[in-house]
Amino acid sequence: MNGETVLLEAVDAYRAQLGDRLLAAYALGSLAHGGFSDLVSDVDLALILTDPPRPGDLDAIQRVAELQRRKGSPLHERLSVFWGTPDTLAGERDGGRFPPLDRLDLLETGRLLAGSDEARARVRRPSTEELVITGAEFALDHLAAVRPPSGADAGLGSIRAGGNDAFEQVRCPELLAAQGVRQVTKLVLFPVRFLYTAATGHVGTNGDAVAHYLERHGTASPRLVEAALAWRTDPPSDEATVAELLRAELVALYVEYVEDHERRLQEMGRDDLAAAFGEWRRALLA
């Protein structure tokens, strides 16, 4: 079993469910732009349906996704489905599930699996400001000890822990190390990816984000970030060594990210989000 097989099985299931309404299906994420790891990666699938969206679309898509996840393999369980119609992807109609970062991923690297690539033509490219704001909302909702003004789905894949649990794992290296390599690498690389997107306006691979981070002068956590990228394909055998590196550099990495985005959000006029990031920063340093 591999990620490509999971994708193709899901596409077949959606063809059977949606029929002619399925205009196109795409691989997103690391299965599209590289760096996929059987150990830790999500399996990201994008669907474009005909307009107009129908009231039953969400239930139908969730039902098929759940059936696929129940097939029993870890990769099936990590299937994540994004969907929309030409009108919703163009920003002309509400509906679907296609956060800005994944819309950008579709435009930049989405790999056609079925249907016509013409379906991608009307996708609206999100601005860097939109990417930063929705990413900040996601981070506050899933990673911080504070709550955002409104929840958001930034499309960065699933994370097992809720917001407070993730915050405690960042602050307690032994607790995080015990969660396993998938949780460790996600919590380390999320802020690295957020920093990369804010600086470049692109999605990029984990490798791109890590390289960008390591090339910068005076970053807070180079050893941890480099190690986390390696752990995606070569997991560590010594939990105590992982905890030691997390203790040395993880909080510093999060403070670096939070300070960067607190400034960016202030410059964008989002004082509400900037204030929440300030509260998060103080909690990290307490």
Side-chain angles (χ1 to χ4, degrees), residues 68-84:
Q68 295 301 302
R69 294 186 190 114
R70 290 177 183 171
K71 287 187 172 182
S73 78
L75 287 172
H76 281 106
E77 292 172 1
R78 301 204 298 265
L79 176 67
S80 184
V81 182
F82 304 93
W83 67 280

Side-chain angles (χ1 to χ4, degrees), residues 12 23 29 39 56-57 73 102 109 124 132 171 176 178 184-185 188 195 205 212 225:
D12 286 344
L23 293 176
L39 289 171
D57 284 344
S73 78
D102 299 282
T109 62
R124 179 178 64 83
V132 169
R171 297 261 294 171
L176 176 54
V184 168
T185 56
V188 173
L195 287 166
T205 64
H212 177 265
V225 168

Side-chain angles (χ1 to χ4, degrees), residues 1-3 6 36-43 68-80 158 160 182:
M1 179 59 59
N2 57 41
V6 173
F36 184 80
S37 164
D38 288 342
L39 289 171
V40 302
S41 293
D42 293 316
V43 178
Q68 295 301 302
R69 294 186 190 114
R70 290 177 183 171
K71 287 187 172 182
S73 78
L75 287 172
H76 281 106
E77 292 172 1
R78 301 204 298 265
L79 176 67
S80 184
S158 60
R160 232 176 18 238
R182 185 164 187 257

Side-chain angles (χ1 to χ4, degrees), residues 124-179:
R124 179 178 64 83
R125 187 180 187 90
S127 66
T128 300
E129 181 171 320
E130 186 179 1
L131 295 170
V132 169
I133 289 171
T134 56
E137 290 172 338
F138 173 89
L140 289 169
D141 202 23
H142 292 270
L143 304 174
V146 297
R147 307 306 297 173
S150 60
D153 177 0
L156 285 167
S158 60
I159 185 164
R160 232 176 18 238
N164 288 336
D165 290 339
F167 177 80
E168 290 305 321
Q169 289 170 16
V170 169
R171 297 261 294 171
C172 180
E174 289 80 11
L175 179 61
L176 176 54
Q179 304 302 309

